[in-house]
PDB file of all heavy atoms in Angstrom:
ATOM      1  N   ARG A  41     -18.689  -2.871 -11.923  1.00 85.00           N
ATOM      2  CA  ARG A  41     -17.464  -2.887 -11.118  1.00 85.00           C
ATOM      3  C   ARG A  41     -17.402  -4.282 -10.494  1.00 85.00           C
ATOM      4  O   ARG A  41     -18.385  -4.758  -9.928  1.00 85.00           O
ATOM      5  CB  ARG A  41     -17.516  -1.839  -9.997  1.00 85.00           C
ATOM      6  CG  ARG A  41     -16.268  -1.837  -9.121  1.00 85.00           C
ATOM      7  CD  ARG A  41     -16.360  -0.937  -7.919  1.00 85.00           C
ATOM      8  NE  ARG A  41     -16.836   0.409  -8.201  1.00 85.00           N
ATOM      9  CZ  ARG A  41     -18.060   0.857  -7.871  1.00 85.00           C
ATOM     10  NH1 ARG A  41     -18.917   0.107  -7.239  1.00 85.00           N
ATOM     11  NH2 ARG A  41     -18.426   2.089  -8.137  1.00 85.00           N
ATOM     12  N   TYR A  42     -16.265  -4.960 -10.620  1.00 86.00           N
ATOM     13  CA  TYR A  42     -16.161  -6.318 -10.076  1.00 86.00           C
ATOM     14  C   TYR A  42     -14.921  -6.476  -9.232  1.00 86.00           C
ATOM     15  O   TYR A  42     -13.972  -5.740  -9.341  1.00 86.00           O
ATOM     16  CB  TYR A  42     -16.225  -7.358 -11.193  1.00 86.00           C
ATOM     17  CG  TYR A  42     -15.006  -7.386 -12.077  1.00 86.00           C
ATOM     18  CD1 TYR A  42     -13.884  -8.121 -11.734  1.00 86.00           C
ATOM     19  CD2 TYR A  42     -14.987  -6.684 -13.261  1.00 86.00           C
ATOM     20  CE1 TYR A  42     -12.787  -8.147 -12.558  1.00 86.00           C
ATOM     21  CE2 TYR A  42     -13.872  -6.691 -14.103  1.00 86.00           C
ATOM     22  CZ  TYR A  42     -12.770  -7.432 -13.717  1.00 86.00           C
ATOM     23  OH  TYR A  42     -11.660  -7.432 -14.518  1.00 86.00           O
ATOM     24  N   SER A  43     -15.013  -7.461  -8.368  1.00 82.00           N
ATOM     25  CA  SER A  43     -13.874  -7.877  -7.543  1.00 82.00           C
ATOM     26  C   SER A  43     -13.945  -9.384  -7.421  1.00 82.00           C
ATOM     27  O   SER A  43     -14.848 -10.027  -7.956  1.00 82.00           O
ATOM     28  CB  SER A  43     -13.953  -7.231  -6.155  1.00 82.00           C
ATOM     29  OG  SER A  43     -15.028  -7.738  -5.431  1.00 82.00           O
ATOM     30  N   GLY A  44     -12.983  -9.969  -6.719  1.00 78.00           N
ATOM     31  CA  GLY A  44     -12.964 -11.400  -6.551  1.00 78.00           C
ATOM     32  C   GLY A  44     -14.191 -11.930  -5.820  1.00 78.00           C
ATOM     33  O   GLY A  44     -14.590 -13.074  -5.988  1.00 78.00           O
ATOM     34  N   GLU A  45     -14.847 -11.062  -5.043  1.00 82.00           N
ATOM     35  CA  GLU A  45     -16.016 -11.468  -4.283  1.00 82.00           C
ATOM     36  C   GLU A  45     -17.347 -11.324  -5.024  1.00 82.00           C
ATOM     37  O   GLU A  45     -18.362 -11.823  -4.581  1.00 82.00           O
ATOM     38  CB  GLU A  45     -16.098 -10.674  -2.974  1.00 82.00           C
ATOM     39  CG  GLU A  45     -15.061 -11.045  -1.959  1.00 82.00           C
ATOM     40  CD  GLU A  45     -13.946  -9.991  -1.939  1.00 82.00           C
ATOM     41  OE1 GLU A  45     -14.250  -8.787  -1.975  1.00 82.00           O
ATOM     42  OE2 GLU A  45     -12.783 -10.397  -1.838  1.00 82.00           O
ATOM     43  N   GLY A  46     -17.371 -10.608  -6.127  1.00 86.00           N
ATOM     44  CA  GLY A  46     -18.613 -10.419  -6.842  1.00 86.00           C
ATOM     45  C   GLY A  46     -18.561  -9.152  -7.692  1.00 86.00           C
ATOM     46  O   GLY A  46     -17.503  -8.698  -8.069  1.00 86.00           O
ATOM     47  N   MET A  73     -16.935 -10.581 -16.706  1.00 85.00           N
ATOM     48  CA  MET A  73     -15.913 -10.644 -15.666  1.00 85.00           C
ATOM     49  C   MET A  73     -14.856 -11.684 -16.007  1.00 85.00           C
ATOM     50  O   MET A  73     -13.662 -11.448 -15.843  1.00 85.00           O
ATOM     51  CB  MET A  73     -16.538 -10.980 -14.306  1.00 85.00           C
ATOM     52  CG  MET A  73     -17.341  -9.859 -13.706  1.00 85.00           C
ATOM     53  SD  MET A  73     -18.285 -10.300 -12.226  1.00 85.00           S
ATOM     54  CE  MET A  73     -17.268 -11.456 -11.381  1.00 85.00           C
ATOM     55  N   LEU A  74     -15.278 -12.860 -16.472  1.00 80.00           N
ATOM     56  CA  LEU A  74     -14.338 -13.910 -16.834  1.00 80.00           C
ATOM     57  C   LEU A  74     -13.422 -13.449 -17.971  1.00 80.00           C
ATOM     58  O   LEU A  74     -12.230 -13.730 -17.958  1.00 80.00           O
ATOM     59  CB  LEU A  74     -15.067 -15.200 -17.235  1.00 80.00           C
ATOM     60  CG  LEU A  74     -15.709 -15.960 -16.091  1.00 80.00           C
ATOM     61  CD1 LEU A  74     -16.545 -17.105 -16.621  1.00 80.00           C
ATOM     62  CD2 LEU A  74     -14.626 -16.468 -15.148  1.00 80.00           C
ATOM     63  N   GLY A  76     -12.528 -10.433 -18.480  1.00 71.00           N
ATOM     64  CA  GLY A  76     -11.633  -9.499 -17.852  1.00 71.00           C
ATOM     65  C   GLY A  76     -10.513 -10.202 -17.109  1.00 71.00           C
ATOM     66  O   GLY A  76      -9.351  -9.773 -17.146  1.00 71.00           O
ATOM     67  N   HIS A  77     -10.814 -11.302 -16.429  1.00 64.00           N
ATOM     68  CA  HIS A  77      -9.782 -12.059 -15.720  1.00 64.00           C
ATOM     69  C   HIS A  77      -8.788 -12.694 -16.687  1.00 64.00           C
ATOM     70  O   HIS A  77      -7.673 -13.012 -16.307  1.00 64.00           O
ATOM     71  CB  HIS A  77     -10.417 -13.156 -14.853  1.00 64.00           C
ATOM     72  CG  HIS A  77     -11.162 -12.609 -13.661  1.00 64.00           C
ATOM     73  ND1 HIS A  77     -10.670 -11.670 -12.818  1.00 64.00           N
ATOM     74  CD2 HIS A  77     -12.405 -12.883 -13.200  1.00 64.00           C
ATOM     75  CE1 HIS A  77     -11.542 -11.384 -11.893  1.00 64.00           C
ATOM     76  NE2 HIS A  77     -12.607 -12.112 -12.105  1.00 64.00           N
ATOM     77  N   GLY A  78      -9.205 -12.858 -17.940  1.00 66.00           N
ATOM     78  CA  GLY A  78      -8.312 -13.425 -18.951  1.00 66.00           C
ATOM     79  C   GLY A  78      -7.241 -12.440 -19.397  1.00 66.00           C
ATOM     80  O   GLY A  78      -6.277 -12.833 -20.047  1.00 66.00           O
ATOM     81  N   PRO A  80      -4.963 -10.192 -17.428  1.00 59.00           N
ATOM     82  CA  PRO A  80      -4.469  -9.650 -16.145  1.00 59.00           C
ATOM     83  C   PRO A  80      -3.679  -8.369 -16.344  1.00 59.00           C
ATOM     84  O   PRO A  80      -3.116  -8.129 -17.436  1.00 59.00           O
ATOM     85  CB  PRO A  80      -3.548 -10.767 -15.619  1.00 59.00           C
ATOM     86  CG  PRO A  80      -3.136 -11.514 -16.833  1.00 59.00           C
ATOM     87  CD  PRO A  80      -4.284 -11.423 -17.821  1.00 59.00           C
ATOM     88  N   PRO A  81      -3.636  -7.502 -15.310  1.00 57.00           N
ATOM     89  CA  PRO A  81      -2.902  -6.219 -15.437  1.00 57.00           C
ATOM     90  C   PRO A  81      -1.421  -6.383 -15.726  1.00 57.00           C
ATOM     91  O   PRO A  81      -0.832  -5.537 -16.368  1.00 57.00           O
ATOM     92  CB  PRO A  81      -3.098  -5.570 -14.080  1.00 57.00           C
ATOM     93  CG  PRO A  81      -4.161  -6.323 -13.374  1.00 57.00           C
ATOM     94  CD  PRO A  81      -4.284  -7.638 -14.037  1.00 57.00           C
ATOM     95  N   HIS A 106     -12.856  -2.864 -21.078  1.00 85.00           N
ATOM     96  CA  HIS A 106     -12.525  -3.449 -19.773  1.00 85.00           C
ATOM     97  C   HIS A 106     -11.301  -2.726 -19.207  1.00 85.00           C
ATOM     98  O   HIS A 106     -10.306  -2.532 -19.907  1.00 85.00           O
ATOM     99  CB  HIS A 106     -12.224  -4.940 -19.926  1.00 85.00           C
ATOM    100  CG  HIS A 106     -11.787  -5.549 -18.656  1.00 85.00           C
ATOM    101  ND1 HIS A 106     -10.451  -5.886 -18.418  1.00 85.00           N
ATOM    102  CD2 HIS A 106     -12.434  -5.888 -17.524  1.00 85.00           C
ATOM    103  CE1 HIS A 106     -10.340  -6.386 -17.205  1.00 85.00           C
ATOM    104  NE2 HIS A 106     -11.529  -6.392 -16.650  1.00 85.00           N
ATOM    105  N   PRO A 108      -8.821  -3.322 -16.098  1.00 81.00           N
ATOM    106  CA  PRO A 108      -8.402  -4.039 -14.900  1.00 81.00           C
ATOM    107  C   PRO A 108      -7.796  -3.026 -13.905  1.00 81.00           C
ATOM    108  O   PRO A 108      -7.013  -2.173 -14.300  1.00 81.00           O
ATOM    109  CB  PRO A 108      -7.319  -4.995 -15.421  1.00 81.00           C
ATOM    110  CG  PRO A 108      -6.819  -4.357 -16.681  1.00 81.00           C
ATOM    111  CD  PRO A 108      -7.935  -3.539 -17.247  1.00 81.00           C
ATOM    112  N   THR A 109      -8.240  -3.095 -12.658  1.00 78.00           N
ATOM    113  CA  THR A 109      -7.704  -2.189 -11.639  1.00 78.00           C
ATOM    114  C   THR A 109      -6.871  -2.904 -10.620  1.00 78.00           C
ATOM    115  O   THR A 109      -6.279  -2.291  -9.747  1.00 78.00           O
ATOM    116  CB  THR A 109      -8.851  -1.443 -10.945  1.00 78.00           C
ATOM    117  OG1 THR A 109      -9.738  -2.378 -10.352  1.00 78.00           O
ATOM    118  CG2 THR A 109      -9.607  -0.567 -11.928  1.00 78.00           C
ATOM    119  N   GLY A 110      -6.800  -4.219 -10.705  1.00 77.00           N
ATOM    120  CA  GLY A 110      -6.018  -5.053  -9.818  1.00 77.00           C
ATOM    121  C   GLY A 110      -6.036  -6.455 -10.338  1.00 77.00           C
ATOM    122  O   GLY A 110      -6.584  -6.741 -11.408  1.00 77.00           O
ATOM    123  N   GLU A 111      -5.442  -7.381  -9.591  1.00 75.00           N
ATOM    124  CA  GLU A 111      -5.374  -8.765 -10.045  1.00 75.00           C
ATOM    125  C   GLU A 111      -6.761  -9.372 -10.280  1.00 75.00           C
ATOM    126  O   GLU A 111      -6.974 -10.097 -11.215  1.00 75.00           O
ATOM    127  CB  GLU A 111      -4.577  -9.606  -9.032  1.00 75.00           C
ATOM    128  CG  GLU A 111      -4.240 -10.991  -9.525  1.00 75.00           C
ATOM    129  CD  GLU A 111      -3.303 -10.999 -10.740  1.00 75.00           C
ATOM    130  OE1 GLU A 111      -2.450 -10.120 -10.837  1.00 75.00           O
ATOM    131  OE2 GLU A 111      -3.426 -11.899 -11.575  1.00 75.00           O
ATOM    132  N   TRP A 112      -7.715  -9.072  -9.410  1.00 79.00           N
ATOM    133  CA  TRP A 112      -9.074  -9.652  -9.516  1.00 79.00           C
ATOM    134  C   TRP A 112     -10.150  -8.582  -9.516  1.00 79.00           C
ATOM    135  O   TRP A 112     -11.299  -8.864  -9.219  1.00 79.00           O
ATOM    136  CB  TRP A 112      -9.322 -10.650  -8.374  1.00 79.00           C
ATOM    137  CG  TRP A 112      -8.356 -11.787  -8.403  1.00 79.00           C
ATOM    138  CD1 TRP A 112      -7.275 -11.965  -7.607  1.00 79.00           C
ATOM    139  CD2 TRP A 112      -8.347 -12.877  -9.341  1.00 79.00           C
ATOM    140  NE1 TRP A 112      -6.613 -13.098  -7.930  1.00 79.00           N
ATOM    141  CE2 TRP A 112      -7.242 -13.697  -9.010  1.00 79.00           C
ATOM    142  CE3 TRP A 112      -9.156 -13.254 -10.402  1.00 79.00           C
ATOM    143  CZ2 TRP A 112      -6.933 -14.847  -9.712  1.00 79.00           C
ATOM    144  CZ3 TRP A 112      -8.842 -14.420 -11.093  1.00 79.00           C
ATOM    145  CH2 TRP A 112      -7.743 -15.190 -10.738  1.00 79.00           C
ATOM    146  N   THR A 113      -9.785  -7.357  -9.823  1.00 81.00           N
ATOM    147  CA  THR A 113     -10.764  -6.273  -9.796  1.00 81.00           C
ATOM    148  C   THR A 113     -10.718  -5.504 -11.111  1.00 81.00           C
ATOM    149  O   THR A 113      -9.701  -5.491 -11.799  1.00 81.00           O
ATOM    150  CB  THR A 113     -10.461  -5.276  -8.636  1.00 81.00           C
ATOM    151  OG1 THR A 113      -9.160  -4.736  -8.812  1.00 81.00           O
ATOM    152  CG2 THR A 113     -10.560  -5.980  -7.301  1.00 81.00           C
ATOM    153  N   GLY A 114     -11.837  -4.884 -11.422  1.00 83.00           N
ATOM    154  CA  GLY A 114     -11.876  -4.089 -12.636  1.00 83.00           C
ATOM    155  C   GLY A 114     -13.224  -3.457 -12.902  1.00 83.00           C
ATOM    156  O   GLY A 114     -14.153  -3.566 -12.102  1.00 83.00           O
TER     157      GLY A 114
END
Side-chain angles (χ1 to χ4, degrees):
R41 179 187 313 107
Y42 69 86
S43 67
E45 289 102 42
M73 288 172 36
L74 287 173
H77 290 312
H106 175 256
T109 58
E111 191 64 34
W112 299 104
T113 60

